[in-house]
Amino acid sequence: MKFFTRLCFILLMMTFSITDAQVQIRKFSTQKSKEIDFGSTIYYKLYSDSILEVELTKEIGILLTTSDSSFVLSDGIEIPIKDLKYLEIENKKNKKWRGVMSPFLITGIGFFIKGVTMAIAEGNESTNKKSIPLYTGTGLAVTLFSSVPFWIKNKSYDLTTGDYEILIP
């Protein structure tokens, strides 16, 4: 029993230390802040140090930890905060829902295509009068409902405007 109590205490203390160690992005005008958890996937663009004003592409990384005033990614890259031009945080819930809804999206598209194909190729014969609207309506409804997670975009921050501030504890 003592072992279990000690284990629970250690896990509880680790939980508190993990939730404290987060990066925050704060908007100056509203003072609202968004937390970036360690282990989150981020997309970022860096300032170009070229005279030619070359637009750099988005790069991806997993935020492992922070040091002084920089992000440390899982592949060992250390990015100073002042070098960030654009930051996008991947929404884990949205990624999960996309995975759940993908089979429904494919099934809905299949039913819809079957209904449209039956309507175009075979026409409104006696057996198709009931099944064509059923296939097209059901397929369209399932397709529309299951495509909603694919419309939602990740939260992004344009750091060139000066509206946002990155806070590292």
Side-chain angles (χ1 to χ4, degrees), residues 38-52:
F38 292 136
S40 296
T41 303
I42 59 170
Y43 302 92
Y44 60 92
K45 285 185 185 179
L46 301 174
Y47 281 109
S48 172
D49 56 355
S50 172
I51 301 171
L52 301 174

Side-chain angles (χ1 to χ4, degrees), residues 78-95:
E78 192 168 323
I79 304 170
I81 291 176
K82 63 182 182 197
D83 289 350
L84 289 173
K85 177 180 180 181
Y86 171 84
L87 187 65
E88 182 177 328
I89 306 162
E90 185 175 69
N91 189 346
K92 292 179 183 177
K93 291 179 186 175
N94 193 20
K95 187 176 181 180

Side-chain angles (χ1 to χ4, degrees), residues 13-93:
M13 295 310 292
M14 285 176 55
T15 306
F16 284 132
S17 66
I18 290 171
T19 56
D20 247 357
Q22 295 174 347
V23 179
Q24 291 186 348
I25 298 179
R26 184 171 59 190
K27 189 169 186 174
F28 282 120
S29 60
T30 60
Q31 294 298 318
K32 289 185 179 178
S33 62
K34 165 80 174 152
E35 294 179 350
I36 307 173
D37 297 327
F38 292 136
S40 296
T41 303
I42 59 170
Y43 302 92
Y44 60 92
K45 285 185 185 179
L46 301 174
Y47 281 109
S48 172
D49 56 355
S50 172
I51 301 171
L52 301 174
E53 303 260 341
V54 176
E55 182 68 26
L56 297 175
T57 59
K58 273 197 295 192
E59 296 185 36
I60 187 171
I62 298 173
L63 182 62
L64 188 61
T65 186
T66 58
S67 68
D68 294 337
S69 61
S70 60
F71 289 161
V72 178
L73 304 179
S74 63
D75 53 357
I77 297 174
E78 192 168 323
I79 304 170
I81 291 176
K82 63 182 182 197
D83 289 350
L84 289 173
K85 177 180 180 181
Y86 171 84
L87 187 65
E88 182 177 328
I89 306 162
E90 185 175 69
N91 189 346
K92 292 179 183 177
K93 291 179 186 175

Side-chain angles (χ1 to χ4, degrees), residues 145-163:
F145 177 71
S146 61
S147 66
V148 170
F150 296 95
W151 300 341
I152 300 170
K153 301 208 183 262
N154 293 327
K155 183 68 176 164
S156 62
Y157 302 95
D158 184 11
L159 302 172
T160 58
T161 60
D163 290 341

